[in-house]
mmCIF file of all heavy atoms in Angstrom:
data_model
loop_
_atom_site.group_PDB
_atom_site.id
_atom_site.type_symbol
_atom_site.label_atom_id
_atom_site.label_comp_id
_atom_site.label_asym_id
_atom_site.label_seq_id
_atom_site.Cartn_x
_atom_site.Cartn_y
_atom_site.Cartn_z
ATOM 1 N N PRO A 1 0.837 -1.073 -0.041
ATOM 2 C CA PRO A 1 0.065 0.033 0.043
ATOM 3 C C PRO A 1 0.940 1.260 0.026
ATOM 4 O O PRO A 1 2.096 1.246 0.382
ATOM 5 C CB PRO A 1 -0.832 -0.071 1.312
ATOM 6 C CG PRO A 1 -0.032 -0.956 2.159
ATOM 7 C CD PRO A 1 0.674 -2.002 1.273
ATOM 8 N N PRO A 2 0.330 2.377 -0.464
ATOM 9 C CA PRO A 2 1.043 3.623 -0.490
ATOM 10 C C PRO A 2 1.635 4.049 0.803
ATOM 11 O O PRO A 2 2.767 4.559 0.921
ATOM 12 C CB PRO A 2 0.109 4.699 -1.023
ATOM 13 C CG PRO A 2 -0.967 3.710 -1.745
ATOM 14 C CD PRO A 2 -1.011 2.421 -1.091
ATOM 15 N N VAL A 3 0.887 3.761 1.895
ATOM 16 C CA VAL A 3 1.319 4.199 3.277
ATOM 17 C C VAL A 3 2.598 3.402 3.613
ATOM 18 O O VAL A 3 3.581 3.929 4.136
ATOM 19 C CB VAL A 3 0.223 3.986 4.307
ATOM 20 C CG1 VAL A 3 0.729 4.184 5.684
ATOM 21 C CG2 VAL A 3 -0.967 4.919 3.939
ATOM 22 N N ALA A 4 2.607 2.090 3.343
ATOM 23 C CA ALA A 4 3.779 1.292 3.616
ATOM 24 C C ALA A 4 5.031 1.693 2.804
ATOM 25 O O ALA A 4 6.123 1.771 3.317
ATOM 26 C CB ALA A 4 3.464 -0.227 3.361
ATOM 27 N N LEU A 5 4.780 2.031 1.556
ATOM 28 C CA LEU A 5 5.862 2.478 0.684
ATOM 29 C C LEU A 5 6.473 3.735 1.194
ATOM 30 O O LEU A 5 7.622 3.996 1.219
ATOM 31 C CB LEU A 5 5.355 2.740 -0.769
ATOM 32 C CG LEU A 5 5.164 1.398 -1.536
ATOM 33 C CD1 LEU A 5 4.391 1.784 -2.876
ATOM 34 C CD2 LEU A 5 6.451 0.594 -1.823
ATOM 35 N N ALA A 6 5.640 4.673 1.600
ATOM 36 C CA ALA A 6 6.035 6.026 2.081
ATOM 37 C C ALA A 6 6.803 5.751 3.462
ATOM 38 O O ALA A 6 7.901 6.452 3.750
ATOM 39 C CB ALA A 6 4.884 6.871 2.482
ATOM 40 N N ALA A 7 6.284 4.853 4.303
ATOM 41 C CA ALA A 7 6.971 4.535 5.656
ATOM 42 C C ALA A 7 8.418 3.919 5.372
ATOM 43 O O ALA A 7 9.325 4.238 6.107
ATOM 44 C CB ALA A 7 6.129 3.661 6.524
ATOM 45 N N THR A 8 8.459 3.028 4.388
ATOM 46 C CA THR A 8 9.675 2.371 3.981
ATOM 47 C C THR A 8 10.717 3.396 3.520
ATOM 48 O O THR A 8 11.870 3.453 3.926
ATOM 49 C CB THR A 8 9.493 1.385 2.939
ATOM 50 O OG1 THR A 8 8.466 0.376 3.428
ATOM 51 C CG2 THR A 8 10.815 0.606 2.676
ATOM 52 N N ALA A 9 10.352 4.285 2.764
ATOM 53 C CA ALA A 9 11.180 5.348 2.150
ATOM 54 C C ALA A 9 11.637 6.202 3.271
ATOM 55 O O ALA A 9 12.822 6.697 3.266
ATOM 56 C CB ALA A 9 10.484 6.125 1.045
ATOM 57 N N GLN A 10 10.781 6.543 4.227
ATOM 58 C CA GLN A 10 11.073 7.370 5.265
ATOM 59 C C GLN A 10 12.130 6.772 6.141
ATOM 60 O O GLN A 10 13.088 7.436 6.684
ATOM 61 C CB GLN A 10 9.900 7.877 6.060
ATOM 62 C CG GLN A 10 10.176 8.804 7.240
ATOM 63 C CD GLN A 10 8.853 9.288 7.915
ATOM 64 O OE1 GLN A 10 7.920 8.649 7.696
ATOM 65 N NE2 GLN A 10 8.962 10.218 8.787
ATOM 66 N N LEU A 11 11.928 5.486 6.425
ATOM 67 C CA LEU A 11 12.871 4.678 7.282
ATOM 68 C C LEU A 11 14.260 4.647 6.646
ATOM 69 O O LEU A 11 15.219 4.772 7.311
ATOM 70 C CB LEU A 11 12.295 3.304 7.579
ATOM 71 C CG LEU A 11 13.138 2.347 8.421
ATOM 72 C CD1 LEU A 11 13.327 2.927 9.827
ATOM 73 C CD2 LEU A 11 12.508 0.982 8.493
ATOM 74 N N ALA A 12 14.317 4.389 5.335
ATOM 75 C CA ALA A 12 15.554 4.314 4.620
ATOM 76 C C ALA A 12 16.249 5.584 4.655
ATOM 77 O O ALA A 12 17.459 5.600 4.770
ATOM 78 C CB ALA A 12 15.273 3.842 3.150
ATOM 79 N N GLY A 13 15.501 6.715 4.482
ATOM 80 C CA GLY A 13 16.088 8.032 4.638
ATOM 81 C C GLY A 13 16.710 8.335 5.943
ATOM 82 O O GLY A 13 17.771 8.887 6.156
ATOM 83 N N TRP A 14 15.959 7.841 6.908
ATOM 84 C CA TRP A 14 16.353 8.105 8.381
ATOM 85 C C TRP A 14 17.624 7.266 8.666
ATOM 86 O O TRP A 14 18.582 7.751 9.257
ATOM 87 C CB TRP A 14 15.327 7.632 9.262
ATOM 88 C CG TRP A 14 15.651 7.673 10.766
ATOM 89 C CD1 TRP A 14 15.723 8.749 11.565
ATOM 90 C CD2 TRP A 14 15.952 6.503 11.622
ATOM 91 N NE1 TRP A 14 16.048 8.373 12.829
ATOM 92 C CE2 TRP A 14 16.145 7.005 12.904
ATOM 93 C CE3 TRP A 14 16.006 5.149 11.362
ATOM 94 C CZ2 TRP A 14 16.568 6.184 13.989
ATOM 95 C CZ3 TRP A 14 16.358 4.320 12.433
ATOM 96 C CH2 TRP A 14 16.592 4.846 13.687
ATOM 97 N N ARG A 15 17.775 6.120 8.140
ATOM 98 C CA ARG A 15 18.936 5.237 8.322
ATOM 99 C C ARG A 15 20.102 5.907 7.532
ATOM 100 O O ARG A 15 21.242 5.863 8.049
ATOM 101 C CB ARG A 15 18.722 3.882 7.829
ATOM 102 C CG ARG A 15 17.606 3.063 8.460
ATOM 103 C CD ARG A 15 17.971 2.595 9.938
ATOM 104 N NE ARG A 15 19.036 1.762 10.017
ATOM 105 C CZ ARG A 15 19.365 0.980 10.974
ATOM 106 N NH1 ARG A 15 18.583 1.196 12.162
ATOM 107 N NH2 ARG A 15 20.415 0.282 11.069
ATOM 108 N N ASP A 16 19.918 6.348 6.421
ATOM 109 C CA ASP A 16 20.959 6.999 5.659
ATOM 110 C C ASP A 16 21.518 8.230 6.375
ATOM 111 O O ASP A 16 22.719 8.499 6.327
ATOM 112 C CB ASP A 16 20.453 7.357 4.168
ATOM 113 C CG ASP A 16 20.287 6.155 3.375
ATOM 114 O OD1 ASP A 16 20.788 5.064 3.658
ATOM 115 O OD2 ASP A 16 19.461 6.238 2.413
ATOM 116 N N ALA A 17 20.643 9.027 6.956
ATOM 117 C CA ALA A 17 20.913 10.227 7.677
ATOM 118 C C ALA A 17 21.865 9.874 8.843
ATOM 119 O O ALA A 17 22.845 10.542 9.123
ATOM 120 C CB ALA A 17 19.772 11.042 8.038
ATOM 121 N N LEU A 18 21.430 8.723 9.535
ATOM 122 C CA LEU A 18 22.240 8.396 10.726
ATOM 123 C C LEU A 18 23.598 7.736 10.183
ATOM 124 O O LEU A 18 24.652 7.926 10.979
ATOM 125 C CB LEU A 18 21.503 7.289 11.533
ATOM 126 C CG LEU A 18 20.436 7.720 12.482
ATOM 127 C CD1 LEU A 18 19.835 6.617 13.201
ATOM 128 C CD2 LEU A 18 21.105 8.676 13.476
ATOM 129 N N GLN A 19 23.597 7.164 9.074
ATOM 130 C CA GLN A 19 24.932 6.488 8.680
ATOM 131 C C GLN A 19 25.971 7.561 8.410
ATOM 132 O O GLN A 19 27.105 7.369 8.733
ATOM 133 C CB GLN A 19 24.626 5.798 7.342
ATOM 134 C CG GLN A 19 25.775 5.031 6.702
ATOM 135 C CD GLN A 19 26.188 3.839 7.536
ATOM 136 O OE1 GLN A 19 25.281 3.052 8.038
ATOM 137 N NE2 GLN A 19 27.438 3.573 7.663
ATOM 138 N N ASP A 20 25.581 8.802 8.018
ATOM 139 C CA ASP A 20 26.428 9.830 7.779
ATOM 140 C C ASP A 20 26.947 10.357 9.078
ATOM 141 O O ASP A 20 28.110 11.111 9.063
ATOM 142 C CB ASP A 20 25.898 10.958 6.996
ATOM 143 C CG ASP A 20 25.486 10.461 5.506
ATOM 144 O OD1 ASP A 20 26.132 9.429 5.111
ATOM 145 O OD2 ASP A 20 24.610 11.007 4.937
ATOM 146 N N ARG A 21 26.332 10.160 10.111
ATOM 147 C CA ARG A 21 26.708 10.675 11.502
ATOM 148 C C ARG A 21 27.214 9.669 12.425
ATOM 149 O O ARG A 21 27.439 9.964 13.658
ATOM 150 C CB ARG A 21 25.389 11.446 12.080
ATOM 151 C CG ARG A 21 25.096 12.659 11.371
ATOM 152 C CD ARG A 21 23.692 13.168 11.732
ATOM 153 N NE ARG A 21 23.270 14.385 11.192
ATOM 154 C CZ ARG A 21 22.776 14.549 9.910
ATOM 155 N NH1 ARG A 21 22.649 13.401 9.197
ATOM 156 N NH2 ARG A 21 22.439 15.687 9.420
ATOM 157 N N LEU A 22 27.527 8.611 12.013
ATOM 158 C CA LEU A 22 28.106 7.394 12.932
ATOM 159 C C LEU A 22 29.468 7.877 13.507
ATOM 160 O O LEU A 22 29.651 7.623 14.718
ATOM 161 C CB LEU A 22 28.260 6.223 12.056
ATOM 162 C CG LEU A 22 26.940 5.443 11.684
ATOM 163 C CD1 LEU A 22 27.254 4.089 10.969
ATOM 164 C CD2 LEU A 22 26.117 5.263 12.847
ATOM 165 N N PRO A 23 30.391 8.619 12.808
ATOM 166 C CA PRO A 23 31.579 9.037 13.412
ATOM 167 C C PRO A 23 31.360 9.961 14.536
ATOM 168 O O PRO A 23 31.956 9.903 15.578
ATOM 169 C CB PRO A 23 32.274 9.793 12.314
ATOM 170 C CG PRO A 23 31.860 9.096 10.958
ATOM 171 C CD PRO A 23 30.378 8.858 11.283
ATOM 172 N N LEU A 24 30.248 10.810 14.372
ATOM 173 C CA LEU A 24 29.954 11.805 15.494
ATOM 174 C C LEU A 24 29.381 11.006 16.759
ATOM 175 O O LEU A 24 29.704 11.307 17.942
ATOM 176 C CB LEU A 24 28.979 12.830 15.127
ATOM 177 C CG LEU A 24 28.443 13.801 16.151
ATOM 178 C CD1 LEU A 24 29.587 14.575 16.694
ATOM 179 C CD2 LEU A 24 27.369 14.616 15.559
#
């Protein structure tokens, strides 16, 4: 469903944002 796709994309973006801040 569209809601699940949006949540998946948001989760992937959140993980990518954290990945860049792992050294901090």
Side-chain angles (χ1 to χ4, degrees):
V3 175
L5 287 172
T8 302
Q10 184 177 8
L11 180 60
W14 175 77
R15 299 288 298 194
D16 291 339
L18 278 180
Q19 183 72 35
D20 297 335
R21 292 168 175 79
L22 291 185
L24 177 61

